[in-house]
């Protein structure tokens, strides 16, 4: 499975190698930050959709149970 992560810092080398690598913070306007924001927005949209579907399912279950109280007694799921 391919794991993807978002780094708050990058290890891009700035200057000469004599000084050694330095850590440069990712700036707010960088492509990585914008891509991460888009991914987070898509995730929030997916979660909202899932929550609304679960809420709708619970309402349909409650309506079914209200129309069929005799069948509710025989179920063991809740």
């Amino acid at each position: 499975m391919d794991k993807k992560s978002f780094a708050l810092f990058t290890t891009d080398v700035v200057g000469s190698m004599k000084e050694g690598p330095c850590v440069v913070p990712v700036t707010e306007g960088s492509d990585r930050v914008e891509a991460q924001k888009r991914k987070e927005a898509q995730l929030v949209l997916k979660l909202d959709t899932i929550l609304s579907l679960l809420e709708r399912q619970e309402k349909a279950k409650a309506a079914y149970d209200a129309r069929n109280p005799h069948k509710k007694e025989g179920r063991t799921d809740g």
Side-chain angles (χ1 to χ4, degrees), residues 52-75:
S52 67
L53 289 173
L54 287 173
E55 182 180 328
R56 187 171 145 195
Q57 182 181 17
E58 286 296 317
K59 286 180 182 178
K61 181 181 173 188
Y64 177 84
D65 289 343
R67 286 191 308 267
N68 302 295
H70 60 284
K71 291 186 178 183
K72 183 179 180 182
E73 294 171 2
R75 289 194 305 184

Side-chain angles (χ1 to χ4, degrees), residues 20-67:
C22 63
V23 177
V24 179
V26 175
T27 59
E28 182 65 28
S30 73
D31 291 337
R32 278 196 235 168
V33 172
E34 295 302 318
Q36 182 66 23
K37 286 181 181 179
R38 282 192 302 274
K39 286 180 184 178
E40 289 174 0
Q42 290 173 349
L43 181 61
V44 167
L45 181 62
K46 287 179 183 179
L47 289 174
D48 285 343
T49 303
I50 290 169
L51 290 175
S52 67
L53 289 173
L54 287 173
E55 182 180 328
R56 187 171 145 195
Q57 182 181 17
E58 286 296 317
K59 286 180 182 178
K61 181 181 173 188
Y64 177 84
D65 289 343
R67 286 191 308 267

